[in-house]
Amino acid sequence: MTPKLNHRAIVGFFMGLAFMQPASGKKMTLFDFTRMDNVDDWHEISDTVRTVGKSKATLVLQKTQIFQRAVFFTLLNPQPNGAGFAGVRTPTNLNLTNFENIDITCRGQGKNSHYKAVLRHKGRSSNEDISYEQYFEAPMSNEKFSTVSLPLNNFKPYYRGREIPNGEPLDVQNITMFGLQVYGGVYLPIKQSGVSALEIETIVAS
């Protein structure tokens, strides 16, 4: 078993924005970056919210004559202990009661492959609020896109990178923020730094 798989076991373990809920469907597109006109609703939330922060993130659309997708670019400059993150987020209005997973069709390039999806619920958006996070490893490829499946019941409450064991569970009926981050690994065995990109085609609930 590789160190990456060990990491996944340790941590235990998104316009194309559809808010309507299907009567009995098995899938719902949350973000279709192959069709969106812009990503203006996505805003950076990186470690520069604190004085010591030095990281940077942006989400942009890449449009060519033959394809369109989003690219999540990150520059991660963590502190010596691994503290640091670079991310983006967008407000949502999602009821995912009828679904089990969030599926991200993506590929990674650059130095880092370990990311996390970050959710908030009930309109909570302050940096002092608990977030609900799940770690994942991006498929690293120069050609092939793959789908990473994140079970909704694996999103756990965190505060500033530390899991809150007795925290309130995620309210899947009222998800009001969706985000992506690359992280330094302050409380994790794998440490990350440097420049990376996560190319994303779609994020779907299934």
Side-chain angles (χ1 to χ4, degrees):
M1 183 176 292
T2 67
K4 291 181 179 179
L5 291 177
N6 283 334
H7 168 69
R8 187 177 296 170
I10 291 171
V11 297
F13 338 74
F14 82 29
M15 149 180 125
L17 190 21
F19 294 140
M20 67 288 261
Q21 304 304 312
S24 59
K26 292 294 185 181
K27 291 189 176 183
M28 180 175 69
T29 299
L30 307 183
F31 306 95
D32 184 351
F33 295 111
T34 70
R35 298 177 180 271
M36 296 172 71
D37 294 329
N38 61 71
V39 288
D40 293 346
D41 288 339
W42 290 78
H43 303 287
E44 182 181 11
I45 178 69
S46 296
D47 58 25
T48 49
V49 295
R50 306 183 71 181
T51 303
V52 294
K54 298 179 293 182
S55 301
K56 183 68 180 174
T58 187
L59 184 78
V60 300
L61 288 179
Q62 180 185 19
K63 299 182 180 182
T64 77
Q65 296 183 34
I66 57 175
F67 70 82
Q68 177 179 309
R69 62 181 63 115
V71 186
F72 174 43
F73 288 109
T74 55
L75 169 63
L76 184 58
N77 286 316
Q79 299 174 58
N81 66 353
F85 64 94
V88 291
R89 66 185 182 186
T90 186
T92 63
N93 180 21
L94 299 174
N95 180 352
L96 301 185
T97 304
N98 297 324
F99 302 95
E100 296 182 353
N101 305 300
I102 292 175
D103 301 325
I104 307 173
T105 300
C106 62
R107 69 179 180 185
Q109 296 194 55
K111 188 174 180 182
N112 304 310
S113 62
H114 295 274
Y115 293 82
K116 59 184 174 181
V118 182
L119 309 178
R120 282 197 167 106
H121 63 193
K122 303 177 181 179
R124 297 170 184 167
S125 59
S126 168
N127 294 324
E128 299 302 315
D129 291 327
I130 288 175
S131 58
Y132 295 84
E133 305 178 2
Q134 184 170 167
Y135 294 79
F136 68 93
E137 184 179 346
M140 302 298 282
S141 172
N142 290 325
E143 297 181 3
K144 184 180 178 181
F145 278 71
S146 300
T147 299
V148 177
S149 188
L150 307 179
L152 282 166
N153 61 9
N154 280 357
F155 280 88
K156 306 300 181 184
Y158 282 79
Y159 182 70
R160 292 187 174 178
R162 187 188 296 273
E163 186 174 354
I164 309 300
N166 299 317
E168 177 187 9
L170 174 67
D171 183 355
V172 297
Q173 298 183 72
N174 192 13
I175 296 173
T176 52
M177 191 211 79
F178 194 106
L180 292 166
Q181 284 184 16
V182 66
Y183 56 89
V186 61
Y187 301 119
L188 300 170
I190 291 179
K191 307 298 181 184
Q192 300 191 115
S193 64
V195 177
S196 304
L198 183 68
E199 299 173 79
I200 311 165
E201 293 186 337
T202 59
I203 302 175
V204 173
S206 64

